[in-house]
């Protein structure tokens, strides 16, 4: 069995994402899938899981090989909190469950990737702060956090990762550019895992995406 690049995508589905924002996210995810499937390295190694979080955590796409992914339509409740801490706890358990660790007999999976998109800040602050250290201890290859729209609080995301980007608007164009950039990042990672001399740096983002320093 070939080594896998496990990729976890966590999408905020709190009430404020209803309407155009979540429609734009669904379109962005469809474009992400189309782009990844054109990359032979990605087809060989990338496995995807999509997890939504509001007042509940839902694994809407369990870890699935890229070629077998049928992307579900993501919907939002009318209202809901932003349980960012709970979704990180879910990711920790999922990585511990999904990841094949290398042994003398077999090579393990590549270092996983985590993508988090939110338009707010964690409602479950204590859970969030307690989940950060065990999550980072899992040794992700990349963690990318996206603060979408003017109400997203980047300070909490900076606690999670140094790679935080922000979108000024929550329309189809902005989310489309974000997922296009994510697909380039995942594709780049899939190429680098197939080439020991390649680095794991992220591609530069387009102008619509702001790097948060």
């Amino acid at each position: 069995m070939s080594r896998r690049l496990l990729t976890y995508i966590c999408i905020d589905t709190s009430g404020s994402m209803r309407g155009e924002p979540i429609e734009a996210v669904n379109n962005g995810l469809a474009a992400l899938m189309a782009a990844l499937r054109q990359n032979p390295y990605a087809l060989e190694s990338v496995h995807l899981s999509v997890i939504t979080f509001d007042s509940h955590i839902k694994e809407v796409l369990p870890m699935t090989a890229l070629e077998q992914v049928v992307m579900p339509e993501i919907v939002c409740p009318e209202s809901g909190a932003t349980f960012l801490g709970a979704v990180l706890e879910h990711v920790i358990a999922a990585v511990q469950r999904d990841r094949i660790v290398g042994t003398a007999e077999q090579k393990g999976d590549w270092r996983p990737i985590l993508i988090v998109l939110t338009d707010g800040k964690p409602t479950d602050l204590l859970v969030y702060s307690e989940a950060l250290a065990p999550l980072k201890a899992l040794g992700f290859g990349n963690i990318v956090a996206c603060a979408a729209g003017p109400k997203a609080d980047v300070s909490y995301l900076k606690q999670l990762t140094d790679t935080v980007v922000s979108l000024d608007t929550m329309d189809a164009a902005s989310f489309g550019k974000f997922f296009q950039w994510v697909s380039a990042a995942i594709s780049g990672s899939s190429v680098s895992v197939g080439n020991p001399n390649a680095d794991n740096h992220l591609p530069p983002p387009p102008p619509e995406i702001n790097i948060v320093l």
Side-chain angles (χ1 to χ4, degrees):
M1 183 175 154
S2 62
R3 300 170 77 179
R4 303 174 303 166
L5 179 63
L6 304 180
T7 304
Y8 298 86
I9 301 178
C10 299
I11 304 289
D12 185 344
T13 45
S14 58
S16 52
M17 288 287 291
R18 269 177 75 83
E20 186 187 1
I22 206 65
E23 286 178 27
V25 166
N26 279 309
N27 291 336
L29 285 169
L32 169 79
M33 291 303 307
L36 287 177
R37 285 187 167 135
Q38 292 173 8
N39 182 314
Y41 290 102
L43 275 173
E44 197 173 292
S45 61
V46 171
H47 285 57
L48 282 179
S49 175
V50 178
I51 305 153
T52 62
F53 60 100
D54 43 71
S55 299
H56 303 278
I57 310 303
K58 296 192 188 79
E59 194 171 76
V60 296
L61 177 70
M63 188 56 68
T64 306
L66 179 59
E67 60 187 15
Q68 296 169 352
V69 168
V70 178
M71 192 62 74
E73 182 180 0
I74 294 174
V75 295
C76 291
E78 288 192 18
S79 63
T82 306
F83 280 0
L84 189 50
V87 81
L88 295 187
E89 286 187 328
H90 182 96
V91 169
I92 292 166
V95 172
Q96 291 168 340
R97 176 194 69 207
D98 299 336
R99 190 180 195 175
I100 296 171
V101 179
T103 65
E105 289 78 34
Q106 67 173 7
K107 289 184 175 179
D109 290 328
W110 305 106
R111 294 167 69 197
I113 293 175
L114 174 61
I115 314 288
V116 177
L117 185 150
T118 180
D119 72 336
K121 65 181 179 182
T123 312
D124 53 346
L125 275 174
L126 182 61
V127 178
Y128 179 73
S129 62
E130 290 178 346
L132 292 172
L135 182 94
K136 292 176 183 179
L138 294 171
F140 282 86
N142 272 315
I143 300 177
V144 177
C146 176
K151 294 182 181 175
D153 192 326
V154 296
S155 63
Y156 292 105
L157 297 178
K158 289 295 283 186
Q159 297 171 29
L160 171 65
T161 176
D162 290 333
T163 309
V164 178
V165 299
S166 68
L167 305 177
D168 295 331
T169 57
M170 296 166 63
D171 55 17
S174 293
F175 280 126
K177 289 292 184 184
F178 172 71
F179 282 107
Q180 195 177 355
W181 179 63
V182 166
S183 70
I186 296 172
S187 293
S189 293
S190 66
V191 171
S192 68
V193 296
N195 175 7
N197 297 317
D199 61 36
N200 209 19
H201 291 309
L202 294 169
E208 293 84 352
I209 298 174
N210 311 304
I211 292 281
V212 178
L213 300 173

